[in-house]
Amino acid sequence: MRYSKAVQTEIGILQLTADDEALLEVKFAERRTEDAPNALLLRAEAQLIEYFAKKRRSFDLPLRAEGTAFQQAVWRAIAEIPYGQTMSYGAVAQKIGKTAAAARAVGAAAGKNPLWIMIPCHRVIAANGALTGYAGGLQRKEYLLHLEAQSVQEQNCQYAQK
């Protein structure tokens, strides 16, 4: 059985979908849908609220993203990009054993990512540092990157004051 939950965030509504075993989809939605959550979706909602409040840097939820072997490899590499950091599409390609010339294919795979934020494709940028290609919209990508950078900066300031 599939379950759903809409989560209101600072940058729009996130529509979450899960089954009894894993989170299947996290995407921005134009409007709220009727909720039919399970315990996993309630945990996901709580973790997303913590993420947006700068109190969570990683998620500990079972995820299942369905895609091709190439897409799966790209998503695994993207999931390893540390919070508050970015990586170019070409660097992701190299991380999965391809040449930097596969950057466009990496971008296409990132665009098919069904688990936005959980698999942080917003952390993948152009080689020149430009923000490109986020299925949720570039304004949201910029917001997420700024949120994470701000959180890292705040933590660094706390350590410096100790």
Side-chain angles (χ1 to χ4, degrees):
M1 183 165 179
R2 287 188 176 233
Y3 305 92
S4 64
K5 175 84 176 119
V7 178
Q8 183 66 53
T9 73
E10 293 86 336
I11 54 174
I13 299 166
L14 280 168
Q15 186 64 44
L16 286 57
T17 305
D19 62 17
D20 290 316
E21 299 170 6
L23 194 58
L24 306 172
E25 189 173 65
V26 176
K27 294 200 173 189
F28 286 102
E30 293 301 314
R31 64 184 194 284
R32 272 187 101 83
T33 59
E34 190 171 321
D35 287 349
N38 63 0
L40 175 59
L41 288 176
L42 296 176
R43 275 183 50 214
E45 176 184 35
Q47 290 188 18
L48 283 164
I49 290 168
E50 291 171 352
Y51 169 84
F52 280 101
K54 299 186 237 172
K55 295 179 179 173
R56 174 172 290 276
R57 292 180 172 214
S58 63
F59 299 92
D60 59 356
L61 301 162
L63 306 176
R64 188 170 63 245
E66 296 184 11
T68 66
F70 179 78
Q71 289 170 334
Q72 295 283 337
V74 168
W75 298 336
R76 277 191 302 277
I78 290 172
E80 293 174 4
I81 301 170
Y83 180 94
Q85 296 181 28
T86 59
M87 182 179 280
S88 73
Y89 293 96
V92 172
Q94 291 175 326
K95 187 170 184 165
I96 64 168
K98 306 293 182 190
T99 67
R104 194 172 291 238
V106 165
K112 299 284 186 191
N113 171 16
L115 291 160
W116 298 353
I117 301 175
M118 306 291 178
I119 298 175
C121 53
H122 60 276
R123 296 180 190 154
V124 185
I125 61 173
N128 66 2
L131 301 186
T132 60
Y134 185 61
L138 290 181
Q139 287 180 318
R140 287 180 174 139
K141 182 173 189 164
E142 184 175 18
Y143 180 92
L144 294 169
L145 291 172
H146 182 72
L147 175 84
E148 292 181 8
Q150 212 176 23
S151 177
V152 168
Q153 209 170 35
E154 288 169 6
Q155 183 181 19
N156 290 341
C157 286
Q158 289 172 355
Y159 287 138
Q161 291 173 357
K162 289 183 179 180

